[in-house]
Amino acid sequence: MASIAVARRESTFWDTVWGWVTTVDHKRIGALYGITAFIFFMIGGVEATLMRMQLARPEQTLVSPDVFNQLFSMHGTTMIFLAIMPLGAAFFNIIIPLQVGARDVAFPRLNAFSYWTFLAGGLLLNSSWFLGGGLNAGWFAYSPLTGLTYNPGHGVDFWAVSLLVLGTASMAAAFNFIVTIVNMRAPGMSLTRMPVFTWMTLIVSILIVTAFPVITVALIELVFDRAFGFNFFNVFAGGDPLLWQHLFWVFGHPEVYILILPAMGIVSEVLPVFSRKPLFGYPFIIFSGIAIGVMGWMVWAHHMFTVGMGPVANTVFTLTTITIAVPTGVKIFNWVATVWGGQLTLKTPMLFSLGFIAMFIIGGLSGLMHAVSPSDAQQSDTYFIVAHIHYVLFGGAIFAIFSGIYYWFPKATGRLMNETSGKIHFWLTMIGFNLTFFPMHFVGLNGMPRRIATYSAGMGWDFWNMVETVGAFVIIAGILLFLHNFFRSLRKGEVAGNDPWDGRTLEWAIPSPPPEYNFERIPVVHSRDPFWEQKHPHPLGVPAGASQQRPGNRAQQPAVAHAAETHEVIHIPSPSYWPLITALGNAIAGYSLVYRFIPGLFIGGALTMFGLYSWYMEPTVKHENKKH
Amino acid sequence: MRPHWLLALIAAIVLPGIFVAWMIWGGYEPNLPQSTFQADGPVGKLQKDLFWIIFWSATVIFVVIEGIFVYAIFRFPRRPNQPIPPQTHGHQTLEIGWTIAPAIVLAVVAVPTVSALWQIYNVPEEKAGLAIEVRAHQWWWEFKYPNQGVVTANEVHMPVGTRVHFTLHSDDVIHSFWIPKLGGKLDVIPNHSNVIWLQGDEPGEYYGQCAEFCGEAHAFMRFRAVVDTQADFDKWVAAQKAPASAAATGAATTGEALFMGKGACTACHTVAGTNAKGVIGPNLTHVGSRTTIAAGIMPNDHENLVKWLSDPGGIKPGNKMATVIGKSIKLTPDEVGALATYVQGLK
């Protein structure tokens, strides 16, 4: 992404830094999101590695139980909120405006605000390591373990407040993408011609703006309990711990789909390109995505099958949960049908997408096994569940994210990543991943609970735990190779050209890296795979998704036409530091809330208000630098 | 080399086959102490049988879909100078088919699921069999037999072939009560009194473990369930109801004095028939008769008792005993030895 910086022709180092700090360009913000999230991904990976080393043999004392508890609590929180979600946001940022044929997102400065707020939340959470210790109550933070009685330190406060801050960032970003996708599509791009990745982003954004308020309520209750002596979850005053669990999982289950739907979107882009076929069953993939998003709201209590809800609730949530297998299955069948009869090029992005499907099937089926509540009573809170979540979130989301990185890297940077390295990375990841997580099914079914800092020698879990730890190091080897490839390719990678993969969607029609304004002229879209149709004119007339009012002569007409104006003035939003100031106010308020320093809350709040006011008063477009 | 359909077919069988074989070879170990593949009671059996139904359904689905997928990957590589393949956009009948087919499979799976579910979770008001009150603490288990007048800790005895209703209470955080070979777990939640029923059909000693993360020493919150023949159970109840056996040897007498005096053990522990009436820690009236100490984490022998009494915080970090032993109360090795002898004698 350095090449984006170069494109700005900044003179000195500090100019470059200032350029990035004040940027409102969606591509640069996407790069910031990606790099930051990848750093957090590696922090979460280090936490996981320490846990795996501790559990490699029985009765080890590499880390104390207290540290171990912090490691798994922070690992879960980090991977979900600081790695997978913002890696998804990186793709939204870089790709969505390009795919819908727009020059930026709808609210460029709000976009910058999202990023800076995300960064503030991530730093707030991780600073707890140096300020008395991180969260030690699990990423789900079940009350009453999070109450002051059992958890007097600040770890829980850091966690709760950082999630509030991160929630602000996610909500702002989600609103931004909803408006961008709904309002800023190129002429002719009806909803039925919208790329699947864009569709999944829309669904995810709607889930974010509906699910995050729920966790926000829960977190505010928790913070009020801890900071101001309220009794929402105080069992001694009649509070109910199950209130927390319901609120948490009402958010928590849609959150799972917030993590996986972007991955499904990426895979739905990659498979057709490397199979040279359109996505099979496009409307069914879209509708099953919507169905998953809606049904995700009806299944939360399957995280609570063992809390004693009684047979009626357990029956209802068992049935709603297994029903989700239907739209999920539809997606998988359609992906398989996309590959079927195609002409497959097994480049690295394709390998990771194929790996996603292969692994996601395993995760889906183990999910079915514990959707069934009676047998889940034996699996709940064991390593079987750990295996399942990693098959959907690593075998699923992370595989797809790597697929997306290899796929769009040439578009974002103008250079290709090295194929040989990429393939080795894929195989190391595939093998390491299965070595690490497949045996977790075994130890789980053989009775190993999750979240235990150690176990006795006689339990029979030693061998597979050692295998899991070895697997973790194979994954690490893959990640290191990926990093090397990434940074080397930034400078020395083969020049990609506009369209290295024979792409189908609009982003491949423009230069790599895209100019700041993306599209010199806004394209007019006539089909679902507009760029493909342009390169390979349809021999027999109407391409799929083409409007029925324009039959017949479509072959003569390029699918990517351009808007008619010839002397168009391109409006580029000017840089602004107010989003950063506004986010800084949130960070100050956050730290104050952690330490219950009330004046600080007002100072932070005032700074945020001041930032917002100045942001509002600032002219959006300065007329000297937007002419092209 | 042009991969053709035979190679693709072999890959389609071998690759998914590796996972199925690995699952069965690596996973199926019913003899392990907490394996859910061995069910010695009706609840565990219901869950295990249901697991196998779903496991094999899932395995068939896995082999078929993964097989077709792998076949397609190997069967359709891009070859030089190929024209663009037909741009197929979908197939309505197929879509309807693969929407309905899984729905039917799920509907079939749902029948035994719901049936098992009601047998397990529908606890009748009139509870036949034995009632046991479980009180989970950070990080140990208290078992009270209200009708027998017995209170014990970390080792629960149940008569064979009898339906036992466990009422689960917590005074601190959420725990989860789990004896894998007898049946699935149920959470122990403050302000909720969940009831779980289990039954042991084979006499023997079963491992139990807290399955909900409950704080620092969560990993060390285990217990034992002993399924006795009815005669053994009656004998056990009679023994438990008797007051503690008196200190016999010289060392034990010294230990008893330490227990009641300098050690201040009475502040937290009860030994029935003595002045020890503390309720913060486990009831120790018959601790010598239990197979393990410190909530199922060590065999109950002199050496381990000495270890425990010397440094409870080193063995189980964060536990309440560690806040006094070695801090405000300092015992010499001789005193620890005497105390261990006394405690071991509490049969």
Side-chain angles (χ1 to χ4, degrees), chain A residues 382-395:
Chain A
T382 70
Y383 264 86
F384 191 80
I385 308 291
V386 181
H388 163 75
I389 58 163
H390 287 94
Y391 267 85
V392 291
L393 293 185
F394 193 135

Side-chain angles (χ1 to χ4, degrees), chain A residues 134-168:
Chain A
L135 172 75
N136 59 359
W139 86 277
F140 47 89
Y142 276 3
S143 104
L145 196 56
T146 51
L148 277 180
T149 319
Y150 303 103
N151 228 323
H154 282 298
V156 175
D157 301 303
F158 273 109
W159 176 81
V161 174
S162 69
L163 251 53
L164 285 169
V165 173
L166 291 166
T168 316

Side-chain angles (χ1 to χ4, degrees), chain B residues 199-217:
Chain B
Q199 177 177 316
D201 287 341
E202 294 287 330
E205 195 185 311
Y206 295 93
Y207 279 53
Q209 182 157 12
C210 176
E212 182 62 82
F213 179 65
C214 58
E216 188 171 356

Side-chain angles (χ1 to χ4, degrees), chain A residues 445-447, chain B residues 27-39 180-181:
Chain A
L445 291 172
N446 287 310
Chain B
Y28 185 69
E29 294 187 80
N31 293 327
L32 295 185
Q34 288 188 184
S35 176
T36 62
F37 292 114
Q38 168 79 34
K181 291 198 167 183

Side-chain angles (χ1 to χ4, degrees), chain A residues 465-478:
Chain A
N465 269 286
M466 178 56 90
V467 171
E468 288 160 25
T469 306
V470 170
F473 283 94
V474 179
I475 296 175
I476 291 172

Side-chain angles (χ1 to χ4, degrees), chain A residues 45 107 122 147 266 306 343 359 365 373 379 426 430 465 492-493 521 584:
Chain A
F107 309 113
I266 292 170
T306 62
Q343 295 166 0
M359 296 301 105
L365 290 170
S373 69
Q379 295 154 12
F426 168 75
M430 189 72 172
N465 269 286
K492 298 184 179 167
R521 282 177 298 170
L584 189 64

Side-chain angles (χ1 to χ4, degrees), chain A residues 65-66 69 72 136-138 140 142-145 150 235-236 238-242 245 275-282 284 305-308 310-312 314-315 318-319 322-323 325-326 329-330 332-334 336-337 339-346 353-354 357-359 361-362 365 368-369 372-382 384 391 434-435 438-439 441-442 444-456 458-461 463-464 467 502 504 528-529 532-533 536 544, chain B residues 18-20 22-30 32-37 44 46-48 50-51 54-55 57-59 61-63 65-66 68-69 71-79 82-92 94-96 98-100 102-103 106-107 109-110 112-114 116-118 120-123 138 171-174 176 178-192 194 207 209-220 222 296-297 317:
Chain A
D66 183 44
N69 297 341
F72 71 69
N136 59 359
F140 47 89
Y142 276 3
S143 104
L145 196 56
Y150 303 103
V235 287
F236 302 112
D240 192 344
L242 289 190
Q245 293 195 15
S275 305
R276 304 188 88 204
K277 271 180 68 195
L279 188 67
F280 195 90
Y282 170 94
F284 293 90
F305 276 151
T306 62
V307 303
V312 176
N314 274 17
T315 304
T318 295
L319 296 179
I322 60 176
T323 311
V326 174
V330 167
I332 290 170
F333 297 137
N334 278 299
V336 173
V339 174
W340 189 273
Q343 295 166 0
L344 275 61
T345 318
L346 297 182
S353 276
L354 296 173
I357 295 171
M359 296 301 105
I361 292 173
I362 298 178
L365 290 170
L368 183 64
M369 289 185 200
V372 166
S373 69
S375 50
D376 176 64
Q378 287 285 29
Q379 295 154 12
S380 175
D381 275 311
T382 70
F384 191 80
Y391 267 85
N434 279 297
L435 279 182
F438 204 69
H441 293 111
F442 313 161
L445 291 172
N446 287 310
M448 181 168 172
R450 312 167 71 163
R451 307 186 181 108
I452 53 171
T454 188
Y455 53 94
S456 295
M459 303 307 290
W461 304 324
F463 176 72
W464 290 117
V467 171
D502 198 6
R504 310 178 75 89
R528 203 174 280 154
D529 290 320
W532 174 270
E533 303 284 354
H536 308 277
Chain B
I18 288 174
F19 280 89
V20 175
W22 191 13
M23 185 78 201
I24 292 164
W25 167 71
Y28 185 69
E29 294 187 80
L32 295 185
Q34 288 188 184
S35 176
T36 62
F37 292 114
L46 276 167
Q47 288 159 337
K48 190 187 67 167
L50 187 61
F51 171 80
I54 291 155
F55 174 79
S57 315
T59 301
I61 296 168
F62 171 79
V63 168
I65 300 177
E66 206 84 69
I68 293 172
F69 182 56
Y71 180 84
I73 294 171
F74 282 83
R75 180 69 185 78
F76 301 110
R78 185 172 177 182
R79 298 186 181 111
Q82 270 180 312
I84 295 168
Q87 300 291 294
T88 327
H89 286 271
H91 192 289
Q92 201 148 356
L94 266 178
E95 298 287 352
I96 292 168
W98 62 44
T99 306
I100 291 176
L106 292 173
V109 167
T113 299
V114 174
L117 198 154
W118 281 77
I120 293 165
Y121 292 113
N122 197 18
V123 181
Q138 278 180 322
D171 286 339
D172 43 50
V173 301
I174 300 176
S176 193
W178 188 30
I179 310 166
K181 291 198 167 183
L182 297 187
K185 59 191 78 64
L186 191 64
D187 294 353
V188 187
I189 303 171
N191 290 358
H192 288 255
N194 283 334
Y207 279 53
Q209 182 157 12
C210 176
E212 182 62 82
F213 179 65
C214 58
E216 188 171 356
H218 165 60
F220 306 101
R222 308 172 202 162
I297 63 178

Side-chain angles (χ1 to χ4, degrees), chain B residues 218-277:
Chain B
H218 165 60
F220 306 101
M221 186 171 167
R222 308 172 202 162
F223 64 103
R224 293 287 190 277
V226 181
V227 176
D228 291 319
T229 61
Q230 188 65 45
D232 284 348
F233 179 74
D234 293 340
K235 222 187 290 172
W236 179 81
V237 169
Q240 294 289 308
K241 286 173 79 164
S245 39
T249 66
T253 319
T254 317
E256 183 175 24
L258 283 163
F259 192 96
M260 305 297 167
K262 183 186 171 192
C265 309
T266 55
C268 298
H269 295 287
T270 292
V271 178
T274 73
N275 286 333
K277 294 187 169 62

